[in-house]
Amino acid sequence: MLLSQAVLPAVVFALAALQALASNTFMAAVYEHAVILPDPTDQPVSPSDALALMNKNMDVLEGAIKEAAQQGAHIIVTPEDGIYGWRFTRESIYPYLEDIPDPVVNWIPCTDPSRFGPAPVQERLSCMARNNSIYVVANIGDKKQCDSSDPSCPKDGRYQYNTDVVFDTQGKLVARYHKYNLFEVESKQFNYPKEPEAVTFETPFGKFGIFTCFDILFYEPAVVLVSKMQVDTVLFPTAWMNVLPFLTAIEFHSAWAMGMRVNVLAANTHNTSMEMTGSGIYAPAGARTYSYNMKTEDGHLLIAELDAHPRLSPATPPAVSWNSYALSVERFSQNDHEFTGIIFEDPFTFTELTKPGGNLTVCQKDLCCHLTYNMAEKRDDEVYVLGAFDDLHVIEGQYYLQICTLLKCPSTNLSTCGQPVETAQTKFEMFSLSGTFGTSYVFPEVLYSGVQLAPGEFEVLSDGRLINRNTTSKPVLSVTLFGRWYEKD
């Protein structure tokens, strides 16, 4: 009893100290990196040549990390493939991989680099974090030996994983995540783990989760981390190839943050020849900062302040019942000439906005999309449509979508509707878009001419209506409610 009484004040003091260290906000950074790529070859290069290329990329990343730390950032996210690029086979990527241990080993590679064998990349990343007192998030490759006792062991006797690592301000490895949902080309280089990993870690400025690129479109691990693990912020290294009109990096990642009511730090690779650009720091109320640059080949550092616990922030919008309004109203007038248009191989049902304002409904299967709108000026040289899609998407992955969209067509020829378009001239005085969604996972997007976001210019009401606050400041490319019905995949 005497011992307990003596220890209690120390415990209380320690808890008070932790609370004092904890912050309501933090400074986040992401770096969009123009990756220096290896020469394409089917043959493995030497380990020294592999390291030489990775050091060139890490030289650039180190400069960004130092600058972010000098500007007060607490954490920085760098892109998927940001250290060795792509253009690999399973065999040729092997010299770029290291054995990455489970973080429970309590390891600081910067001070003990050879504890688990050669690990020059982990050592350097650890030292970047330690020397700059900043959390560093990077994407590298993990290798794990296996043998015939494991019936799943690949023929070459090893597992290879696309892997995210996180080092804290002391350089300690605090998180390791093996990507679960591999893009088709990656399956030729990497294995996916036998079970999806829900990786989280605690900091003085919130609880963090991490996953990679294509993972964001699936329930595991992305939704699990937010809905079940209750993370405050998602760390998201990506190599995202933009696909208009719904799947450009900035619009979808921003929409996902809003729909999931969580912070997202999205760091993309930068390669305009492969349509790769678009990074941002996103909050539930909209983008805090973002960059979309298809004009130059430069990297770009973004820094912004975020709420450490967004669910507790008064700035975070209330929870949404996504079909409440749409189910409560009768269908608006339907245009006499509905037609089918293709978006990313998916057949949408469209109807044209033939008047400068009005009410429209378009339906496909169980999804009815309602639109009320008023254009600032109806132009004869621009056509907009209201579209609905309710079906399984099966191109480059299989996932069930419910989508309502107000969309500009590339030309006045209705057969072009659904094809990519980047510029527009029409502003809207008002719009209100809603749908009879069967899923609670809906992501709101507004994309302006020039592939620009509209932070602060629209909101989602608690009954599921996506509305603008004032006349749009720029012409509109699309207004979309992008629904994911995971149970129907």
Side-chain angles (χ1 to χ4, degrees):
M1 180 64 69
L2 291 175
L3 180 61
S4 298
Q5 290 175 337
V7 169
L8 184 59
V11 172
V12 172
F13 177 81
L15 289 173
L18 286 173
Q19 290 176 341
L21 286 171
S23 175
N24 291 327
T25 64
F26 69 103
M27 297 298 292
V30 301
Y31 183 66
E32 182 164 311
H33 177 38
V35 184
I36 302 166
L37 298 174
D39 295 328
T41 176
D42 291 339
Q43 300 302 314
V45 300
S46 68
S48 60
D49 285 347
L51 182 59
L53 174 81
M54 292 190 286
N55 274 325
K56 289 179 182 178
N57 281 301
M58 286 192 288
D59 287 345
V60 179
L61 297 181
E62 185 167 17
I65 289 166
K66 286 182 177 179
E67 182 178 347
Q70 289 169 358
Q71 294 189 40
H74 296 91
I75 188 168
I76 182 169
V77 182
T78 62
E80 182 183 26
D81 301 332
I83 289 177
Y84 46 67
W86 47 92
R87 299 177 176 173
F88 295 109
T89 64
R90 180 176 177 85
E91 293 73 26
S92 64
I93 202 171
Y94 183 69
Y96 297 84
L97 311 181
E98 293 183 358
D99 189 348
I100 306 171
D102 189 310
V104 297
V105 298
N106 193 27
W107 181 41
I108 300 177
C110 187
T111 60
D112 188 9
S114 59
R115 181 177 167 189
F116 298 99
V121 174
Q122 293 174 83
E123 177 186 359
R124 187 166 181 190
L125 292 170
S126 170
C127 290
M128 290 181 200
R130 185 179 179 89
N131 295 340
N132 293 284
S133 297
I134 187 173
Y135 281 76
V136 170
V137 183
N139 178 260
I140 59 179
D142 188 11
K143 59 183 179 182
K144 291 287 181 283
Q145 298 300 313
C146 57
D147 56 36
S148 58
S149 64
D150 178 359
S152 301
C153 183
K155 294 180 179 179
D156 54 17
R158 61 180 182 262
Y159 291 107
Q160 300 181 173
Y161 299 113
N162 178 330
T163 308
D164 298 328
V165 290
V166 183
F167 297 93
D168 70 8
T169 56
Q170 298 302 308
K172 185 171 74 171
L173 178 67
V174 294
R176 179 197 66 184
Y177 169 70
H178 295 137
K179 186 177 181 182
Y180 186 67
N181 298 287
L182 298 177
F183 208 57
E184 184 176 356
V185 68
E186 291 180 284
S187 62
K188 300 175 182 178
Q189 306 163 16
F190 293 112
N191 305 104
Y192 57 85
K194 295 175 183 178
E195 298 291 337
E197 301 170 351
V199 175
T200 68
F201 61 97
E202 298 278 357
T203 76
F205 41 93
K207 183 178 182 180
F208 286 73
I210 187 167
F211 53 79
T212 314
C213 202
F214 202 38
D215 284 325
I216 200 171
L217 283 167
F218 298 91
Y219 187 82
E220 292 184 297
V223 176
V224 169
L225 282 176
V226 178
S227 296
K228 295 185 177 180
M229 309 297 287
Q230 292 285 294
V231 299
D232 298 304
T233 300
V234 167
L235 307 173
F236 186 61
T238 184
W240 195 276
M241 291 178 284
N242 292 292
V243 181
L244 286 164
F246 310 133
L247 289 174
T248 63
I250 56 172
E251 66 176 322
F252 187 71
H253 303 158
S254 175
W256 199 87
M258 296 181 72
M260 297 302 295
R261 305 172 75 238
V262 69
N263 299 326
V264 174
L265 311 187
N268 202 0
T269 54
H270 188 87
N271 187 297
T272 58
S273 66
M274 296 186 69
E275 304 290 330
M276 288 181 178
T277 186
S279 300
I281 299 173
Y282 307 113
R288 293 293 173 88
T289 183
Y290 73 96
S291 174
Y292 180 93
N293 172 22
M294 285 292 292
K295 296 180 180 179
T296 71
E297 296 302 327
D298 302 327
H300 192 74
L301 177 67
L302 298 168
I303 300 177
E305 187 175 32
L306 287 171
D307 291 311
H309 306 285
R311 290 179 182 83
L312 304 179
S313 170
T316 296
V320 175
S321 174
W322 286 104
N323 61 12
S324 179
Y325 174 80
L327 288 173
S328 69
V329 298
E330 295 184 9
R331 293 186 182 185
F332 298 146
S333 61
Q334 290 182 265
N335 199 307
D336 292 335
H337 50 278
E338 287 186 355
F339 62 99
T340 298
I342 304 299
I343 300 179
F344 198 25
E345 306 298 329
D346 295 328
F348 277 65
T349 301
F350 286 136
T351 188
E352 183 183 355
L353 279 62
T354 56
K355 300 177 181 179
N359 304 307
L360 285 174
T361 292
V362 66
C363 300
Q364 187 179 106
K365 291 188 176 179
D366 295 327
L367 178 66
C368 285
C369 304
H370 304 315
L371 174 68
T372 300
Y373 72 97
N374 190 27
M375 297 176 178
E377 177 188 1
K378 178 72 169 70
R379 298 174 59 98
D380 293 334
D381 59 345
E382 291 199 328
V383 170
Y384 284 81
V385 293
L386 173 64
F389 179 74
D390 184 3
D391 210 340
L392 190 68
H393 174 86
V394 295
I395 305 300
E396 295 178 346
Q398 182 168 298
Y399 40 93
Y400 201 97
L401 300 175
Q402 286 192 314
I403 299 175
C404 292
T405 184
L406 161 64
L407 190 69
K408 180 185 179 291
C409 302
S411 74
T412 56
N413 184 343
L414 294 182
S415 67
T416 68
C417 294
Q419 296 176 13
V421 58
E422 295 188 1
T423 59
Q425 300 295 323
T426 301
K427 295 181 180 180
F428 282 73
E429 291 181 352
M430 71 84 61
F431 58 77
S432 173
L433 180 66
S434 61
T436 57
F437 292 98
T439 175
S440 60
Y441 295 102
V442 180
F443 311 113
E445 303 178 350
V446 175
L447 197 63
Y448 282 168
S449 182
V451 192
Q452 297 295 308
L453 297 181
E457 297 195 17
F458 69 94
E459 64 181 314
V460 177
L461 304 183
S462 60
D463 62 8
R465 282 177 288 172
L466 171 57
I467 66 169
N468 62 313
R469 289 186 167 131
N470 298 292
T471 299
T472 59
S473 62
K474 295 179 182 179
V476 171
L477 289 180
S478 62
V479 178
T480 303
L481 292 171
F482 187 103
R484 273 288 283 118
W485 202 337
Y486 300 105
E487 294 86 354
K488 299 186 79 169
D489 284 359

